[in-house]
Each structure stands twice: as C-alpha cells, then as structure tokens.
Amino acid sequence: MICDNLDINEAGHLTFAGRDTIELAQKYATPLYLLDEDKMREKCRIYMTAMKKYFGEKAQPLYAGKALCIKDIYRIMREEGMGIDVVSPGEIYTASAGGFPMENSYFHGNNKTDSDIAFAMDTGVGYFVCDSDTELLSIEAEAARRGIKQKILLRITPGIDPHTHQSINTGRVDSKFGAAIETGQAKALVALALKQPHIALMGYHCHIGSQIFETEPFTDAADIMLGFSADMKDAFGFEAEIINLGGGMGVKYLEEHPEIDYEANIAVIADHMKAVCVKRGLKIPAVRMEPGRSIVADAGMTLYTAGTVKTIPGFKNYVSVDGGMPDNPRFALYQSPYTVVLANRMNEERDFVCTVAGRCCESGDLIQEDVPMPRPNRGDIVAVMTTGAYNHSMASNYNRIPRPPVVILRGGEDKMIIRRETYEDMLACEI
Ligand code: LLP
C-alpha cells in the first residue's frame, strides 16, 4: 500500500487509520472525506524535529493552509508548535477562529488589498510576505497609522524550474509572484523596505513549485537566496535573519512514486546551506519551510459509492461515482494521479480497467483513468487515496452538488468536523 495508514481487514475491506472504511461510509454516507489526525501529527513532527536538528533551534516549519484549511487543523498545528502560511483574510479568519496564535503566521499573496492588510494587522498576523513595491508602501502606511513596526519578508523569485507541472511552478522569473533577482527588482525592493520607518525587514522568501521529489531544486533555491542575502549585505549592510524556502516537497500518490524521506531531504538542504553560509560569510539564518501537501495529503481519503458501470465495446469501461470534480478537481485541472480502489472488495482480482468518472454534466469530470479494479456493482465503495491536500480546499458547488462532510479519525474515534452541506447552505447567500 502507498502509505502505512492503509491496510486490508479480514472482511476484505480497506482500512484507513485502523478503521474499516465501509463502516465509515455506512455511518456517514458518501461522498465522504476522511482525515487521519495521527498521520498529520507524524508529518508535523518529522519536519519539526528534522528542521531543528539540521538547521538549529531557530528553524521552524510553517504549515501551508491552502492545502487544507479547516479550523480543527489549526488546533493540531498549534499543539504541534508549527507556524502557518496564510494567503487570504478567509484563511486568517479560519486559523484565528481555530485558536491559532497568529504571531506565528506568515501572510502571503500577490495581491493583498488595503483592506486585507488592515484585517491581517487587526488579527495580529506576525509576518507579511511582501510581494511588490506598492504592497510594501501600503503595509508601511497602515503600520504608520497604527504606530507599529510590521515584520515582513520579501518574496523573491529565484528563477528556478523545478521540472514540475507548469501551472504549479511559481518560482520562475516570469511569474505573477514576487520580485526577480535577475531584473534588479528584488534589490530595489530591499532598498525600499529598508527606508520605511514602520517596517522591519526580517528576510526573504521563495517558493519554487509543488510536488517536487528531488532535493536539487531546493538546494539551488537556497544557493540563490543566500547569494542574494550576501549581495544585499554587501550593498546595504543588511543581513537576513530569516530565509523561507517555501513548500513543495512531493507526496507519494502512486505505488511507482518514490518513497520520500523528508528528514534526509532536510538534512541535505541544511548541509548545503551551512556550507554556503560559511563560504559567503553569513550567519546561519532562521530557516522556514512551508509544507502543505506533504503534511496533509496522505492523511486524507475520499470515499464514494459506485453508480453506473458502463462498458463501451471496443473502447473502455466507465465507473461513475457520486462525487467528482466538485470535491476533487485535480484530475480535471492537472491530470493528477491518484490510487483508486474498490474498498469493499480489496482481495478480489483487479481485472476490470476503467475510467472513474464524477457525476457532473461535463466529460472532463474524471477522477482517474486506467484504474484496475474488480468490476464494480452499483453500491460498491470506491476509495481515492491521498486526497488530504488541495481537495477540500479546492472544492466547489459545481452543478449545485453539496460539499461532502469531513470526518477526522483519532485514537480509534471518528468525529465529524464539517457536516455535509445542505441545499439551504448553497442558497444561504442568495437574497
Ligand atoms: N508556500 C507557498 C508560498 C505556496 O505558494 C505553496 C503552494 C506552498 C507553500 C505549499 O506548497 P506544497 O508543500 O503544498 O507543495 N493546487 C495545486 C497546488 C498549488 C500550490 C500552490 N502553492 C495542486 O492541487 O496541486
């Protein structure tokens, strides 16, 4: 199995976090999102322990809530001592409502409005990751009005192609995010920040992409960021206290994906950074990393009920389920791979290769293609693994399909933390 929280019980049912998925499907109905709290905590601890061990005590992982933004997740992040990355007032509101200490939050985004900036300051956000000169001046103006000094990082585009999917590759020079080193805009932003009386420049941030399996893109980014930091020290006498390398470490979605040793990756990046610091005469900065996907992806699973099963002679087989792109748009958007199984018949031969389709009125509404499973019967339970990241957070009500509930599994207990949306919920904002 692709993750150690998956197994098969005597009934031939898929288990997740030690629980029979068929019993959970019967109890809560489908479609259903499941979350494994222990797995999330385990991932937090891997990052936390490894970062402190290899980068030193000042290092801290920040959970990127865009992967899964639910109040209860912020309880876990607080208890695990994580910082967080937030990207909108909605995420700030959710984290704050979840009791997260907002001084440990980093506010991202390429277009923070003036009211977003004011809202973030009202909520006590610790750091702004500033994306542009106009945003910088707006932060300065708001901080001046309040008589405070706002801590910021500057978002730098290091110009790295991490060989990942184009639309989730955000660190190249041609990017809507941040200021590029190559064009001189990053340096100009540092000069501007250092002149502002109500801004405390703490360092630099970059994010090179997502679902990255190798360490080179990160060590390359670290090289560039530290080189930039050294150049700014020479130019302005300012040395960054914080270097934030962003998120992006990959996750195993398929059996053929490599096993990722996050601790080993962090050790490699840390060794590399320490060597560069020595070479460039820099002190070791407080390093931040912003994992989203790798904290929550394999802590998640989606259960569906199979409905129509259709064979088109000479073409292919379709199995339609009672959810689809509204709860998981990632195949439609990125052709993302997923492992899909027939959860109530795990020990049967997988001799029926099919396309698993959603229920929307759109041919592109697919969950996965070429899935081998036993030929499903109407009513069988289809499980899609590794859906903890960018599924619930990207869900929609397309075709007026209510969003599924979220049930968290912890210590043998199951608790619904988000109820199933109702039709009235979907009309709630209509006047
Ligand atoms: N930090 C920043 C500034 C980011 O932009 C992102 C992701 C992260 C951290 C977290 O990256 P992660 O560790 O999750 O790879 N919707 C796409 C993913 C978009 C990622 C955007 N930024 C997907 O479903 O694959």
Side-chain angles (χ1 to χ4, degrees):
M1 294 271 210
I2 51 172
C3 188
D4 60 7
N5 56 2
L6 300 163
D7 211 343
I8 301 170
N9 64 15
E10 316 79 65
H13 294 174
L14 175 70
T15 64
F16 182 57
R19 302 294 307 276
D20 186 318
T21 54
I22 306 309
E23 281 173 17
L24 292 164
Q26 278 158 0
K27 179 168 176 184
Y28 293 101
T30 60
L32 173 66
Y33 292 121
L34 296 175
L35 287 177
D36 171 1
E37 178 165 333
D38 287 343
K39 180 53 75 183
M40 277 185 261
R41 289 187 185 274
E42 179 192 316
K43 291 299 203 50
C44 290
R45 285 171 201 174
I46 290 173
Y47 271 97
M48 186 67 79
T49 310
M51 286 187 69
K52 302 254 181 228
K53 180 169 166 193
Y54 298 108
F55 288 117
E57 271 309 306
K58 287 186 295 177
Q60 192 188 31
L62 317 176
Y63 167 64
K66 69 207 79 184
L68 179 66
C69 187
I70 300 177
K71 269 194 315 188
D72 208 44
I73 298 292
Y74 293 101
R75 166 186 63 83
I76 297 170
M77 296 306 146
R78 170 171 44 85
E79 288 173 5
E80 293 299 328
M82 302 280 285
I84 56 168
D85 147 348
V86 286
V87 296
S88 68
E91 286 193 2
I92 292 172
Y93 185 82
T94 308
S96 176
F100 193 82
M102 295 307 286
E103 65 272 18
N104 287 327
S105 68
Y106 291 68
F107 183 21
H108 290 269
N110 62 306
N111 190 20
K112 305 175 190 76
T113 66
D114 291 353
S115 70
D116 293 350
I117 290 167
F119 182 80
M121 287 185 191
D122 284 344
T123 323
V125 161
Y127 300 80
F128 283 63
V129 181
C130 176
D131 216 271
S132 70
D133 49 0
T134 55
E135 180 190 319
L136 184 78
L137 296 176
S138 178
I139 297 170
E140 166 63 24
E142 190 59 38
R145 250 191 300 282
R146 293 164 191 253
I148 61 167
K149 203 158 172 124
Q150 180 61 53
K151 287 185 281 190
I152 70 159
L153 304 181
L154 295 177
R155 174 139 185 184
I156 307 297
T157 35
I160 287 178
D161 178 357
H163 312 294
T164 183
H165 194 289
Q166 280 282 312
S167 57
I168 52 175
N169 173 349
T170 51
R172 295 163 307 155
V173 171
D174 177 8
S175 167
K176 71 171 184 170
F177 298 102
I181 297 173
E182 254 178 72
T183 59
Q185 285 159 309
K187 183 177 181 185
L189 203 52
V190 174
L192 190 65
L194 291 172
K195 273 194 227 131
Q196 307 306 317
H198 299 92
I199 279 182
L201 178 59
M202 304 301 292
Y204 310 118
H205 168 273
C206 69
H207 173 77
I208 52 173
S210 204
Q211 186 60 356
I212 302 169
F213 287 110
E214 308 82 21
T215 48
E216 288 75 26
F218 293 101
T219 50
D220 288 354
D223 268 350
I224 294 169
M225 297 297 282
L226 290 171
F228 179 71
S229 184
D231 292 346
M232 294 307 100
K233 189 178 169 196
D234 292 345
F236 305 114
F238 167 75
E239 184 168 353
E241 271 178 48
I242 299 177
I243 296 284
N244 184 334
L245 295 175
M249 281 205 204
V251 160
K252 187 175 164 101
Y253 285 95
L254 301 176
E255 213 56 75
E256 57 261 40
H257 283 165
E259 208 68 60
I260 300 176
D261 185 339
Y262 299 97
E263 176 177 352
N265 285 2
I266 290 168
V268 168
I269 299 165
D271 277 354
H272 188 88
M273 283 182 81
K274 284 179 195 159
V276 177
C277 284
V278 171
K279 202 162 104 201
R280 299 295 309 249
L282 295 169
K283 56 182 190 232
I284 310 286
V287 174
R288 304 283 178 264
M289 294 177 98
E290 295 173 332
R293 187 191 309 273
S294 51
I295 300 289
V296 291
D298 50 21
M301 173 182 287
T302 309
L303 299 179
Y304 302 103
T305 302
T308 303
V309 179
K310 169 169 110 163
T311 296
I312 310 173
F315 287 91
K316 59 177 165 175
N317 302 312
Y318 279 94
V319 174
S320 294
V321 297
D322 53 354
M325 64 191 290
D327 62 80
N328 183 357
R330 297 192 68 255
F331 186 83
L333 277 173
Y334 320 115
Q335 299 78 53
S336 299
Y338 281 103
T339 300
V340 184
V341 298
L342 207 55
N344 53 325
R345 294 163 57 193
M346 292 298 286
N347 293 331
E348 292 183 33
E349 205 185 326
R350 299 171 185 208
D351 51 3
F352 185 76
V353 176
C354 57
T355 294
V356 178
R359 62 174 299 173
C360 288
C361 285
E362 178 156 338
S363 332
D365 171 25
L366 304 178
I367 296 287
Q368 204 62 208
E369 289 187 303
D370 301 322
V371 178
M373 55 169 75
R375 184 185 174 96
N377 298 315
R378 196 175 176 89
D380 279 344
I381 300 298
V382 173
V384 180
M385 304 179 182
T386 332
T387 58
Y390 303 109
N391 275 231
H392 179 271
S393 67
M394 293 175 73
S396 75
N397 287 130
Y398 184 44
N399 284 185
R400 280 278 148 131
I401 294 170
R403 271 174 272 238
V406 178
V407 169
I408 196 161
L409 308 173
R410 62 171 90 108
E413 308 268 292
D414 47 280
K415 187 180 172 216
M416 186 159 63
I417 54 172
I418 301 186
R419 63 165 171 78
R420 188 177 300 283
E421 231 171 5
T422 63
Y423 303 128
E424 300 81 71
D425 289 334
M426 290 190 285
L427 296 188
C429 298
E430 293 194 23
I431 295 162

